[in-house]
Amino acid sequence: RGETTLPLPPLRIQYGDYAAWQRSWLEGHDSEPSPLTQQLAYWKEALADLPARLELSTDRPRPPVQTSNGSTYTFRFSKQLSEAIARFNRQHGVTLFMTLLAGYQTLLARYANQTDIAVGSALANRTRMETEPLIGFFINTLVFRARFDRDGSFRELLDQVRDTVLNGFAHQDVPFEMLVEALQPERNLSHTPLFQAALSLQNVPVPTRELPGLRLETVEVDKGIAGFDMLLMITETPAGLAAAWEYNTDLFDRSTIERMARHLQNLLAAAVADPDRP
């Protein structure tokens, strides 16, 4: 057999180069004060006096040691609601992630009867063009905090969330583990530190896979695990927004999550229709 030349262009850097850059950045060799010091200062201020836990009512008492027992409830936003959210985002100059985060945090605030809500989110963290074609682990977790004014409108909340998200993205290089170490939150084996509810948005198109004589389709699989109390995963599809709500089955019944999913959609529909409502 003859040799086949790969059509792919050579990579400008390898994952090892990224790892070396990150190590140098974390050690602060490039400047004084180091970017790490500056970013940590931001997070210490942004997350100061964060409540120890999201006080959601659970269907069963929280175990003394958190488990990963879980399940996933899948559902879809209606085409009408998906399009209404998209129009709202264009009109108000916000991203889909910002609107979903504001709605999700509002839902959690109501369920927990709290005015200070933290939600975690995993970012691709490929902030440099050179890293886009690389194979490797770049993901980092950020914490987005929202403070609620009982008389405030959804528009005002969204303005706050927009600033929080943009500032978080601008300070996303601090590894989550280092952030926990720096903030020293009260640790408890029954729940994760800093946040217990997470949000994930998948807005990168999934290409159609075709092979001669075969038809392929994606099959949703319930992994039976949960890394947090709950994780809401939203995916943009041509038919509208698709959602998967992962939850810890030691804490919540499926019926509870189904009800929360309905409430989230009702809340978002009302918010985008009239964002000046309290």
Side-chain angles (χ1 to χ4, degrees), residues 156-172:
E156 292 169 334
L157 172 67
L158 190 57
D159 288 341
Q160 178 193 157
V161 169
R162 178 181 181 178
D163 290 342
T164 299
V165 169
L166 292 176
N167 283 324
F169 286 172
H171 298 85
Q172 65 177 283

Side-chain angles (χ1 to χ4, degrees), residues 122-190:
L123 272 67
N125 201 32
R126 294 177 184 257
T127 57
R128 291 162 178 78
M129 186 182 301
E130 297 86 351
T131 63
E132 291 181 1
L134 295 185
I135 296 174
F137 188 81
F138 293 83
I139 292 175
N140 191 27
T141 301
L142 300 187
V143 183
F144 298 112
R145 182 182 194 177
R147 294 181 173 90
F148 285 81
D149 178 352
R150 295 294 189 187
D151 298 321
S153 68
F154 186 78
R155 187 192 302 274
E156 292 169 334
L157 172 67
L158 190 57
D159 288 341
Q160 178 193 157
V161 169
R162 178 181 181 178
D163 290 342
T164 299
V165 169
L166 292 176
N167 283 324
F169 286 172
H171 298 85
Q172 65 177 283
D173 296 310
V174 180
F176 180 74
E177 295 80 4
M178 183 173 288
L179 180 61
V180 174
E181 182 180 351
L183 293 175
Q184 290 291 307
E186 178 184 343
R187 300 303 297 270
N188 190 310
L189 293 177
S190 68

Side-chain angles (χ1 to χ4, degrees), residues 201-209 218 234-238:
L201 173 63
Q202 176 59 260
N203 56 1
V204 177
V206 178
T208 302
R209 299 173 177 86
T218 301
I234 305 289
T235 303
E236 286 189 90
T237 75

